[in-house]
Amino acid sequence: MSATPQRQFALQGAAVILVLSLAWPYFGWQVGAIPWLETSLAIGGVAFIFATLSRQPWWWRVMHAGFMPLIWLTQGLNIEPGWFLLAFVLLLLVYRGALSGQVPLYLSNRQTVQALADLLAERGPGRFLDLGSGLGSTTVPLADHLPDSHFTGYENAPLTWLVGRVLSLGRPNIQWRWDDLWQAKLGDYDVVYAFLSPAPMEKLWHKVEAEMAPGSLFISNTFPVPGRAPDRVIEVDCTPPRPLYCYQR
């Protein structure tokens, strides 16, 4: 089972239906109220089992295990509904990519930026594309390190795009775009960099093969392309480890 949001909702729903289909008849026969704490924990346990059996990534398993118990905990806090709406809007503004493409917000650290700067300096001035550029934690410092190169960032979450746009002001070698990464024309760039998640890597590689020119370079932070051996792996000295997988076209 793939880790699409629709499949995850279906998995959590199956756990709810299974547990409640047993709990309601049992406690109805006993003429007692359903113990919602224990029931929510049971739903979380069943959802965890379902996620494990369907080979979901570990973070989905944790989310499934904790989802219903957290709902039970939250409903007892008497929080006004407006706060939930505000939290949802803010999360959507920042983590839109996680919902639409299973790509959470990752920020590149300074060690990774330095490794990329060294690699780009070896290649000489060129055109660099950051797919899912977030707050600009990669694009902005690279543009400062390498003023003779041109840098483009694609980001589709409104709030993170806005922060990155502000941080990129005053740097003429940066183009900051609010757009979906799948709309990028990879053939326009010498180096394409992505720090996404395992979910889109296979599809992205097909796009790389179809569009990137011979001699160009595709770099994936942390997540290798499935079934494709990288031409070079740069081990970045940081914790947790974030290797750069380099694929020469």
Side-chain angles (χ1 to χ4, degrees):
M1 180 185 287
S2 62
T4 63
Q6 294 83 358
R7 295 283 178 87
Q8 302 307 329
F9 282 125
L11 191 154
Q12 186 70 214
V16 171
I17 291 171
L18 176 60
V19 173
L20 291 184
S21 66
L22 297 174
W24 262 323
Y26 176 80
F27 288 101
W29 180 264
Q30 299 292 328
V31 194
I34 293 178
W36 286 109
L37 172 58
E38 291 79 2
T39 302
S40 67
L41 291 173
I43 292 172
V46 171
F48 179 82
I49 293 172
F50 284 172
T52 301
L53 293 176
S54 58
R55 299 181 180 180
Q56 300 301 325
W58 67 267
W59 60 85
W60 274 116
R61 301 180 196 185
V62 172
M63 290 171 64
H64 280 298
F67 182 73
M68 198 56 65
L70 284 175
I71 287 182
W72 176 86
L73 178 64
T74 303
Q75 62 85 31
L77 298 178
N78 295 320
I79 300 173
E80 290 293 331
W83 289 109
F84 290 103
L85 177 60
L86 177 61
F88 173 77
V89 171
L90 289 176
L91 288 172
L92 184 62
L93 290 174
V94 176
Y95 295 102
R96 178 185 172 190
L99 181 62
S100 61
Q102 302 178 71
V103 179
L105 175 63
Y106 290 119
L107 302 179
S108 296
N109 55 38
R110 58 182 179 83
Q111 295 93 332
T112 298
V113 171
Q114 186 58 57
L116 287 170
D118 294 341
L119 178 60
L120 295 179
E122 293 175 9
R123 296 177 59 90
R127 297 161 297 172
F128 177 93
L129 172 63
D130 185 358
L131 295 174
S133 46
L135 304 175
S137 59
T138 300
T139 307
V140 172
L142 283 179
D144 291 336
H145 274 86
L146 303 165
D148 293 333
S149 292
H150 188 271
F151 297 86
T152 300
Y154 269 66
E155 176 57 43
N156 73 344
L159 190 56
T160 51
W161 171 88
L162 179 60
V163 173
R165 180 71 184 92
V166 171
L167 293 176
S168 66
L169 291 175
R171 295 172 172 85
N173 60 333
I174 292 182
Q175 182 184 16
W176 199 254
R177 297 195 56 169
W178 182 10
D179 208 342
D180 189 281
L181 64 88
W182 302 108
Q183 303 304 315
K185 297 179 180 180
L186 305 187
D188 295 341
Y189 303 94
D190 304 300
V191 178
V192 175
Y193 169 78
F195 189 10
L196 303 175
S197 78
M201 292 309 300
E202 184 173 358
K203 179 181 177 182
L204 180 57
W205 179 247
H206 292 322
K207 184 175 175 66
V208 167
E209 287 189 308
E211 298 181 17
M212 292 189 70
S216 58
L217 181 67
F218 173 66
I219 305 170
S220 178
N221 188 333
T222 305
F223 308 110
V225 175
R228 175 71 162 83
D231 297 288
R232 178 181 178 185
V233 178
I234 301 175
E235 298 292 346
V236 179
D237 184 16
C238 64
T239 303
R242 288 183 176 177
L244 299 176
Y245 297 96
C246 304
Y247 303 85
Q248 189 71 46
R249 298 297 299 135

